Structures are given as structure tokens and as C-alpha cells.
């Protein structure tokens, strides 16, 4: 079993839709939870991070962490074609950042 | 000003060859990483150096040898390349500290072994 599980998709939604991306994990030592966005043929870029359980909002993006269920989510409101990318969840502990497999999202006009 | 730069961007080589990928960061970070991303986009950590000291060495064949001449550079040398080594290799850097650290990634090196 991988330490971090993420549905690879692809996920295809119309412009304006609400998108929900999720990850589960098994290592309870993880403390920092991140979402990275990776455009085609580019390196991943940090989108948001949260520490421990709770919610964090940044514009159209909301990150949620539920440590009791070992479950994290990223919500994208009013999705745009420019949001089309691969979204990778990531978690860190013990000086290591572990990534999920990434979910490919396509937002069509 | 590129924060994390790696060269080359593309590398096509024959099985059995030895090749190197170079990485440099100008962010003043003290920790650098090598990740391998396979065709299914899974990003797997290979190595991590903190202040030139190897701190993470995942289960990676001995053919892969990282070298960190200083805090700003982390190179990856691969001996006797195999078909299965074909992937995108990403260098990243971060600032280790008491709190959360964000990793900044380079553009990747697309390695194709033929």
C-alpha cells in the first residue's frame, strides 16, 4: 500500500463547475499537507498548504484536512480552462515530502 | 532568474551509457532533492541532501549516485543506463527548518533510454 493514495482521473468538467480532488494517506506522522499543480511539461508548483486538521481558503481554492480520517481535499470553485493541469497532493514529515500519484483535471469551455 | 534550474532539459541516450544531470538553485535553500516521475505521473523521491549531507536515500539502484559539491548544487550521475530509467527527473529545493517547508521544483529532465 502506498503511503499516499490519489485517484489519477482524468477528471473532465465544464467551465464554472466545482471540482473536488481527494487524497488518503496511511502515515499518521504527516503534519503538513500540500497541493501542487503541474502543467504539462513543467515542474510542480505549490498551490496551497495546511498544517494539521482544518480548512484553508485562497481565492477559488479551498484545502481541507481531516487527520482523524487521514483524508485531504482540494476544492476549486468556478473552475476555469486555465485550471486544466495535474494536481498532486503532498505530505511532509521527517524531512521528506511524499506525493500522491496526481489527478489530471481538464476544464472545458 | 530561474530559481531551480536543471540541465539538460532533454536527454536521449543508449542503454549501457553513463550520463549526468545537473541542478542548481539560487534560493539560498539548504536542502535539495531528486525526484523521478514515471509515465503515470507518479513523483517518487530518490535522494535528499541537507547542507551537502545525504539525508534521504530511498530504494534506488546503486547505478544512481548523487553528488552535492555545495548547498546550491545537486547533480545526479547514472551508470549503465537501462530502458526502465526512462522518466522525467526533477530536482527540487527547500528550506529545512522547524516549520513547514515548501519545495520548489526545476523544469525537469526528460530522459529517454533507447
Amino acid at each position: 500500500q502506498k503511503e499516499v493514495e490519489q485517484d489519477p482521473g482524468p477528471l473532465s468538467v465544464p467551465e464554472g463547475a466545482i471540482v473536488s480532488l481527494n487524497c488518503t494517506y496511511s502515515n499518521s506522522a504527516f503534519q503538513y499537507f500540500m497541493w501542487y499543480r503541474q502543467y504539462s511539461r513543467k515542474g510542480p508548483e505549490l498551490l496551497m498548504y495546511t498544517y494539521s486538521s482544518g480548512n484553508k481558503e485562497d481565492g477559488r481554492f479551498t484545502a481541507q484536512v481531516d487527520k482523524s480520517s487521514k483524508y485531504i481535499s482540494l476544492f476549486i470553485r468556478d473552475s476555469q480552462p486555465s485550471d486544466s493541469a495535474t494536481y498532486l497532493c503532498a505530505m511532509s514529515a521527517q524531512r521528506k515530502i511524499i506525493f500522491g500519484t496526481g489527478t489530471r483535471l481538464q476544464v472545458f469551455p | 532568474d530561474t530559481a531551480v534550474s536543471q540541465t539538460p532539459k532533454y536527454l536521449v541516450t543508449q542503454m549501457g551509457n553513463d550520463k549526468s544531470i545537473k541542478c542548481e538553485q539560487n534560493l539560498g535553500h539548504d536542502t535539495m532533492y531528486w525526484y523521478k516521475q514515471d509515465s503515470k505521473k507518479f513523483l517518487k523521491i530518490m535522494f535528499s541532501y541537507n547542507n551537502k549531507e545525504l539525508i534521504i536515500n530511498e530504494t534506488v539502484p546503486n547505478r544512481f549516485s548523487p553528488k552535492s559539491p555545495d548547498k546550491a548544487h545537486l547533480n545526479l550521475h547514472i551508470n549503465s543506463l537501462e530502458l526502465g530509467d526512462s522518466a522525467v527527473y526533477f530536482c527540487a529545493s527547500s528550506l529545512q527548518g522547524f516549520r513547514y517547508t515548501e519545495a520548489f521544483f526545476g523544469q525537469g529532465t526528460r530522459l529517454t533510454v533507447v
Side-chain angles (χ1 to χ4, degrees):
Chain A
Q1 185 193 3
K2 287 194 175 116
E3 281 187 281
V4 180
E5 299 275 0
Q6 184 176 7
D7 186 340
L11 189 57
S12 187
V13 301
E15 185 174 354
I18 297 175
V19 175
S20 171
L21 304 167
N22 311 295
C23 286
T24 57
Y25 63 94
S26 57
N27 187 348
S28 52
F30 288 137
Q31 291 189 306
Y32 293 100
F33 303 90
M34 295 151 273
W35 286 95
Y36 279 78
R37 180 172 59 194
Q38 186 177 18
Y39 290 112
S40 183
R41 298 193 174 257
K42 299 282 186 188
E45 292 176 309
L46 182 72
L47 197 57
M48 293 185 72
Y49 80 90
T50 51
Y51 172 65
S52 198
S53 283
N55 291 1
K56 188 171 183 178
E57 193 173 316
D58 184 1
R60 298 184 293 109
F61 299 87
T62 301
Q64 280 186 357
V65 174
D66 181 350
K67 287 191 81 176
S68 61
S69 304
K70 295 192 176 71
Y71 189 86
I72 72 169
S73 301
L74 177 71
F75 297 96
I76 307 174
R77 288 183 300 282
D78 187 25
S79 55
Q80 303 294 310
S82 59
D83 295 329
S84 298
T86 296
Y87 290 79
L88 302 112
C89 63
M91 305 173 191
S92 75
Q94 298 159 345
R95 303 195 286 183
K96 201 159 48 167
I97 301 173
I98 306 295
F99 285 84
T101 49
T103 300
R104 192 168 152 227
L105 171 68
Q106 184 163 7
V107 181
F108 56 90
Chain B
D1 280 349
T2 306
V4 180
S5 61
Q6 31 182 132
T7 54
K9 206 170 172 181
Y10 300 96
L11 190 51
V12 181
T13 188
Q14 290 188 324
M15 274 175 56
N17 283 350
D18 302 339
K19 289 292 177 187
S20 291
I21 307 171
K22 295 185 175 181
C23 180
E24 177 182 3
Q25 55 95 3
N26 62 6
L27 297 165
H29 289 167
D30 58 1
T31 302
M32 296 184 72
Y33 311 81
W34 277 110
Y35 281 86
K36 179 181 179 181
Q37 189 170 47
D38 61 25
S39 57
K40 294 184 180 176
K41 294 286 194 182
F42 180 51
L43 205 58
K44 185 172 167 53
I45 190 166
M46 299 172 69
F47 303 102
S48 175
Y49 271 75
N50 176 256
N51 285 319
K52 300 196 304 176
E53 180 192 345
L54 182 66
I55 57 171
I56 293 172
N57 184 353
E58 294 293 293
T59 311
V60 177
N62 290 339
R63 300 181 294 104
F64 290 79
S65 53
K67 273 213 174 95
S68 181
D70 55 56
K71 280 195 322 183
H73 296 84
L74 179 62
N75 304 323
L76 183 66
H77 188 75
I78 316 170
N79 288 329
S80 304
L81 278 155
E82 300 177 357
L83 292 176
D85 298 332
S86 296
V88 182
Y89 292 84
F90 284 101
C91 176
S93 73
S94 70
L95 192 61
Q96 287 293 336
F98 186 68
R99 293 179 59 83
Y100 148 83
T101 60
E102 172 187 352
F104 289 81
F105 283 80
Q107 293 290 310
T109 296
R110 188 172 292 271
L111 172 65
T112 304
V113 182
V114 297

